[in-house]
């Protein structure tokens, strides 16, 4: 028990680099049935407080409990709280029966020993795209089922580019993108907006440029990593990107792009609905690599997981709930509502059939990487925080990109 407590505390510290530490709260894994039979109340946590019980998602959760023969009590938390609450609940022995968590948190929960392997539960993940399930796979074993994925690309304003005599098809690498930004500024408009905030959102948005230069997260201060940070620094210094990128979340970065004054906005699949409401014609291109081609982009999205329970008889019902939430039949409306790209090719094809604007996003997700993939696992948070700190230092002018990333690498090694 002591070693388990220590592991959980260490895991809490790791998640704490991603999100603020908060007090425990929420549901419990208790059942109305004293013998653990498939009846009574099961608990489910998710990161969608913006979706109430009357939403399509809320109704799906309720119906999946009904189909499993139980009442499914749903407790939504903000994404930034959910990981820590899960760890604290496990420490106290009242983890929920089923939990939907952000994909980088999966490895931390696995290290803490509180998630079941999908294989042990008999959950089938064969049809899921390998790079999508890879974000929740540790040492060859999957620990959850993804409901979908999102990622990043560049939205562009057709009118702004046209006025600056920029063909979006000409943007193929960093040089051509920077040249486009120069023309846009000369035409009296604004260049590009993104999020460089000192949270995981900042790292998430920096990764395509870091990876697009060939950067390796185990060596933040390589020449390739420095090139990526230098690109962003030069954009801010030359006025191609606003200085408020340092405070921009992905939401506020989108709001800037939605003013119609910017040529480009780095943002995600989840903004498609807002893009249609923006009031101007837009297009989407993949984020270019330094020397051309599409840069690797990070996968976002959540995994449906089954926390370890003392009463293992509960797993049969939990499996039914997970299967219901992640069935092709339910993934299509769920991923359409949440603006996710589905994790299976069959559902992706149906999504594109219904909404052709999703095609570039399906292509982007196919080439995306999990932030914790490549064996990083729980090391990722100890790399991400120094990385976003380096971005802040370089863009604010307090350090050169080289010095900022050298400090980040030193910090990551200590972590």
């Amino acid at each position: 028990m002591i070693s388990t407590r220590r592991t959980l505390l260490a895991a809490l510290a790791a998640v704490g680099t991603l999100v603020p530490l908060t007090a425990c709260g929420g549901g419990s894994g208790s059942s109305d049935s004293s013998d653990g039979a498939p009846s009574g109340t099961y608990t489910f946590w998710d990161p969608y407080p913006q979706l109430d019980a009357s939403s399509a998602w809320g109704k799906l959760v309720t119906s999946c409990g009904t189909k499993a023969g139980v009442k499914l009590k749903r407790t939504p938390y903000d994404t930034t709280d959910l990981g820590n609450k899960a760890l604290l609940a496990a420490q106290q022995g009242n983890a929920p029966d089923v939990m939907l968590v952000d994909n980088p948190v999966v490895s931390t929960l696995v290290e803490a020993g509180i998630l079941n392997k999908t294989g042990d539960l008999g959950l089938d993940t064969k049809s899921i795209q390998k790079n999508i399930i890879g974000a929740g796979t540790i040492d060859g074993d999957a620990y959850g089922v993804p409901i979908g994925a999102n990622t990043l690309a560049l939205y562009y304003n057709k009118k702004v580019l046209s006025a600056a005599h920029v063909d979006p098809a000409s943007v193929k690498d960093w040089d051509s993108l920077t040249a486009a930004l120069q023309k846009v500024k000369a035409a009296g408009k604004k260049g590009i907006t993104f999020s460089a905030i000192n949270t995981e959102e900042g790292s998430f948005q920096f990764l395509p440029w870091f990876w697009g230069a060939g950067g390796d997260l185990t060596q933040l201060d390589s020449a390739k990593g420095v090139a990526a940070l230098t690109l962003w620094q030069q954009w801010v210094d030359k006025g191609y990107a606003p200085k408020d990128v340092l405070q921009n979340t992905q939401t506020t970065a989108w709001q800037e792009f939605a003013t119609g004054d910017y040529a480009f906005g780095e943002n995600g699949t989840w903004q498609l609905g807002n893009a249609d409401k923006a009031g101007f014609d837009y297009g989407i291109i993949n984020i270019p690599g330094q020397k051309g081609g599409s840069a690797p982009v990070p996968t976002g999205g959540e995994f449906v997981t089954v926390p370890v329970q003392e009463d293992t008889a509960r797993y049969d019902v939990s499996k039914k709930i997970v299967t219901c939430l992640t069935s092709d039949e339910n993934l299509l409306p769920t991923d359409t509502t949440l603006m996710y790209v589905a994790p299976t090719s069959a559902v992706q094809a149906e999504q594109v059939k219904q909404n052709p604007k999703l095609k570039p996003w399906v292509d982007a997700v196919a080439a995306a990487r999990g932030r914790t993939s490549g064996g990083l696992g729980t090391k990722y948070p100890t790399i991400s925080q120094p990385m976003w700190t380096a971005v802040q230092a370089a863009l604010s002018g307090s350090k050169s990109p080289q010095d900022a990333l050298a400090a980040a690498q030193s910090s990551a090694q200590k972590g």
Side-chain angles (χ1 to χ4, degrees), residues 108-410:
T108 301
L109 300 180
V110 169
E111 185 175 80
I114 65 173
L115 291 185
N116 283 289
K117 298 177 182 178
T118 56
D120 290 347
L121 296 169
L123 289 163
D124 184 9
T125 58
K126 293 186 183 68
S127 64
I128 296 173
Q129 215 163 278
K130 288 184 178 180
N131 65 326
I132 296 179
I133 199 165
T137 300
I138 294 89
D139 296 329
D141 292 308
Y143 285 84
V145 183
I147 62 166
N150 53 37
T151 195
L152 297 166
L154 292 181
Y155 288 85
Y156 64 86
N157 185 316
K158 293 183 179 181
K159 183 177 180 180
V160 171
L161 289 186
S162 178
H165 304 291
V166 173
D167 180 355
S170 69
V171 177
K172 298 182 180 298
D173 53 24
W174 290 3
D175 286 346
S176 55
L177 176 55
T178 300
L181 297 176
Q182 184 177 14
K183 290 181 180 179
V184 167
K185 185 183 179 187
K189 289 292 186 179
K190 299 176 181 179
I192 186 169
T193 183
F194 50 86
S195 170
I197 195 170
N198 57 338
T199 69
E200 178 59 22
E201 287 187 73
S203 290
F204 189 72
Q205 290 237 321
F206 182 60
L207 278 172
W209 311 95
F210 183 85
W211 282 336
D216 185 330
L217 286 173
T218 63
Q219 192 63 48
L220 294 175
D221 59 346
S222 71
K224 295 173 180 177
V226 172
L229 188 47
T230 299
L231 178 73
W232 269 20
Q233 180 207 39
Q234 290 176 345
W235 284 351
V236 172
D237 287 351
K238 292 180 179 179
Y240 300 159
K243 291 187 181 297
D244 63 12
V245 295
L246 287 164
Q247 292 82 43
N248 268 351
T249 64
Q250 294 181 107
T251 298
T252 55
W254 176 262
Q255 289 168 349
E256 285 185 333
F257 178 73
T259 63
D261 292 331
Y262 283 85
F264 296 96
E266 179 183 351
N267 230 293
T269 328
W270 56 90
Q271 299 291 7
L272 269 178
N274 288 328
D276 290 334
K277 300 173 185 176
F280 55 81
D281 287 338
Y282 71 93
I284 299 165
I285 58 172
N286 289 346
I287 295 172
Q290 181 180 23
K291 301 299 182 182
S294 296
V297 285
T299 53
E302 291 84 29
F303 277 64
V304 189
T305 64
V306 178
V308 172
Q309 302 289 342
E310 186 175 340
D311 182 4
T312 59
R314 301 181 70 83
Y315 294 153
D316 284 343
V317 169
S318 296
K319 175 186 173 182
K320 291 178 182 177
I321 294 167
V322 175
T323 300
C324 176
L325 290 171
T326 59
S327 68
D328 281 3
E329 176 185 1
N330 288 327
L331 280 176
L332 181 58
T334 294
D335 289 334
T336 299
T337 298
L338 297 175
M339 290 298 174
Y340 279 168
V341 171
T344 67
S345 59
V347 181
Q348 286 174 4
E350 285 300 313
Q351 285 184 290
V352 173
K353 185 177 178 181
Q354 290 184 8
N355 182 4
K357 290 180 180 178
L358 279 173
K359 182 63 170 65
W361 294 105
V362 170
D363 294 340
V365 165
R369 298 179 186 175
R371 284 165 278 175
T372 57
S373 298
L376 285 182
T378 55
K379 295 177 184 176
Y380 175 74
T382 66
I383 295 169
S384 178
Q385 184 172 22
M387 182 166 63
W388 81 55
T389 302
V391 170
Q392 287 266 311
L395 269 57
S396 66
S398 64
K399 290 182 181 178
S400 69
Q402 177 67 63
D403 289 345
L405 284 172
Q409 180 62 22
S410 176

Side-chain angles (χ1 to χ4, degrees), residues 68-121:
V70 298
K71 178 182 178 182
L72 191 54
K73 181 183 177 183
R74 173 187 173 231
T75 305
Y77 293 105
D78 188 274
T79 302
T80 55
D81 293 340
L82 191 57
N84 280 310
K85 289 187 185 298
L87 290 163
L88 288 165
Q91 184 181 357
Q92 297 170 358
N94 63 349
D97 291 287
V98 182
M99 184 167 56
L100 188 66
V101 297
D102 194 18
N103 71 65
V105 179
V106 172
S107 60
T108 301
L109 300 180
V110 169
E111 185 175 80
I114 65 173
L115 291 185
N116 283 289
K117 298 177 182 178
T118 56
D120 290 347
L121 296 169

